Amino acid sequence: MTTTRPADLYPTRGATELVSPRQDPVVWGESAAADLRGYERDGFLTVDQLITPTEVKTYRAELDRLLADPAVRADERAVIEPKSQEIRSVFEVHKLSEIFAGLVRDPRLLDYARRILGSDVYVHQSRVNVKPGFGASGFYWHSDFETWHAEDGLPRMRTVSVSVALTENRATNGGLMIMPGSHRTFLGCAGETPTDNYRQSLKMQEAGTPSDAALTELAGQHGIKLFTGPAGSATWFDCNCMHGSGDNITPFPRSNVFIVFNSVENAAVEPFAAPVRRPEFIGARDFRPLF
């Protein structure tokens, strides 16, 4: 059920770009826990092996099955790469696949999410991202929270993402880049949100894109961290981290499972800066906690 929209703590998509300090905790739960101090400071946490090599094979096989299924390709939840016409992402993957539904409920993921967010959680969004070799396009710098606040109606920064590698994440095949510490600054972007913006933004981000000047300032303050690691490794990162990824022009594919956990105490309301909500397969409206 959608509740009355609270005060807007993070204005965005107005006439001008706005920079303001974060008004929410980073760790809502065990802030004194030693293993979460780096996450609180930098906005991210890496795990060398979250799932085993055997589990990687299982999830890779399931990903291959989904990519080969004509019904999945024809589904609105599949995003097609503009140039190659290959599948780039499949959203709501935990509802399309029992195998990925099991991963969403895996205690290795749920326990971290609950500790960081200090409450029970639900899945705001899930997807598999596929970057095949020889030209898969990247995704420009952005804060996920800026989009989820503006277009999905998430009120507070009480959301955490985990990206689980199903292939090796190399320095050269379009890996995730984050500006460490950028999660403590909210960048409200300039420009209105077009109707049905998600149809374009899932392929190439335009609305909600920071200016070159703002990105230069943030990068100068925080630097840029590129994440590499073997299949089975994972990166947890805060919803307000400034992040992006480059094109993959190598022969080496890069595939990841991406799950967004949101606190049940931070349920989405009406969008703060968009004419209508995005579809539920992008921004969930089922706020029941995972067990």
Side-chain angles (χ1 to χ4, degrees), residues 177-188:
M177 296 182 288
I178 291 179
M179 297 182 187
S182 60
H183 62 304
R184 295 194 175 278
T185 300
F186 178 70
L187 187 60

Side-chain angles (χ1 to χ4, degrees), residues 153-202:
L154 292 192
R156 310 292 293 268
M157 293 181 184
R158 199 171 179 179
T159 313
V160 62
S161 302
V162 61
S163 177
V164 184
L166 299 184
T167 57
E168 182 178 358
N169 281 230
R170 305 168 183 252
T172 53
N173 66 345
L176 174 69
M177 296 182 288
I178 291 179
M179 297 182 187
S182 60
H183 62 304
R184 295 194 175 278
T185 300
F186 178 70
L187 187 60
C189 298
E192 294 183 355
T193 308
T195 301
D196 287 342
N197 179 55
Y198 76 94
R199 297 184 185 277
Q200 170 64 26
S201 67
L202 298 184

Side-chain angles (χ1 to χ4, degrees), residues 86-128:
E86 294 187 66
I87 293 178
R88 171 182 179 144
S89 301
V90 180
F91 280 78
E92 212 170 45
V93 70
H94 70 295
K95 293 189 177 181
L96 288 172
S97 163
E98 288 295 328
I99 290 176
F100 284 116
L103 179 62
V104 161
R105 289 177 168 81
D106 191 304
R108 290 170 294 184
L109 278 69
L110 274 183
D111 289 351
Y112 257 114
R114 289 172 179 146
R115 289 176 61 211
I116 291 170
L117 301 180
S119 69
D120 284 327
V121 299
Y122 71 93
V123 175
H124 176 69
Q125 185 185 104
S126 76
R127 65 180 186 265
V128 285

Side-chain angles (χ1 to χ4, degrees), residues 30-284:
E30 302 175 23
S31 59
D35 62 336
L36 293 182
R37 288 174 189 160
Y39 177 89
E40 189 167 36
R41 179 189 66 242
D42 299 326
F44 60 81
L45 172 71
T46 56
V47 181
D48 291 338
Q49 186 182 74
L50 182 65
I51 60 175
T52 67
T54 299
E55 290 172 312
V56 168
K57 290 180 181 178
T58 299
Y59 293 123
R60 284 280 301 277
E62 180 67 354
L63 173 58
D64 290 343
R65 183 191 71 80
L66 291 171
L67 296 179
D69 187 341
V72 172
R73 183 181 179 87
D75 196 294
E76 188 181 20
R77 289 172 285 191
V79 179
I80 308 301
E81 184 74 33
K83 292 181 180 179
S84 68
Q85 290 299 297
E86 294 187 66
I87 293 178
R88 171 182 179 144
S89 301
V90 180
F91 280 78
E92 212 170 45
V93 70
H94 70 295
K95 293 189 177 181
L96 288 172
S97 163
E98 288 295 328
I99 290 176
F100 284 116
L103 179 62
V104 161
R105 289 177 168 81
D106 191 304
R108 290 170 294 184
L109 278 69
L110 274 183
D111 289 351
Y112 257 114
R114 289 172 179 146
R115 289 176 61 211
I116 291 170
L117 301 180
S119 69
D120 284 327
V121 299
Y122 71 93
V123 175
H124 176 69
Q125 185 185 104
S126 76
R127 65 180 186 265
V128 285
N129 288 335
V130 183
K131 271 194 176 179
F134 300 116
S137 57
F139 213 76
Y140 200 66
W141 292 104
H142 65 287
S143 154
D144 286 331
F145 177 76
E146 192 279 337
T147 298
W148 298 337
H149 182 70
E151 300 185 38
D152 297 336
L154 292 192
R156 310 292 293 268
M157 293 181 184
R158 199 171 179 179
T159 313
V160 62
S161 302
V162 61
S163 177
V164 184
L166 299 184
T167 57
E168 182 178 358
N169 281 230
R170 305 168 183 252
T172 53
N173 66 345
L176 174 69
M177 296 182 288
I178 291 179
M179 297 182 187
S182 60
H183 62 304
R184 295 194 175 278
T185 300
F186 178 70
L187 187 60
C189 298
E192 294 183 355
T193 308
T195 301
D196 287 342
N197 179 55
Y198 76 94
R199 297 184 185 277
Q200 170 64 26
S201 67
L202 298 184
K203 298 177 182 179
M204 183 176 293
Q205 184 90 348
E206 289 188 1
T209 300
S211 69
D212 290 353
L215 290 171
T216 300
E217 179 72 19
L218 282 175
Q221 290 178 9
H222 303 294
I224 296 172
K225 166 74 173 177
L226 170 65
F227 293 91
T228 60
S233 61
T235 302
W236 292 89
F237 59 101
D238 179 81
C239 59
N240 191 45
C241 282
M242 189 61 65
H243 67 287
S245 63
D247 295 350
N248 182 13
I249 61 172
T250 75
F252 308 114
R254 176 180 174 267
S255 298
N256 294 61
V257 186
F258 185 81
I259 303 165
V260 181
F261 295 102
N262 187 40
S263 169
V264 295
E265 299 172 11
N266 190 43
V269 294
E270 291 305 310
F272 285 87
V276 295
R277 304 175 185 174
R278 298 195 298 178
E280 290 195 29
F281 70 83
I282 303 173

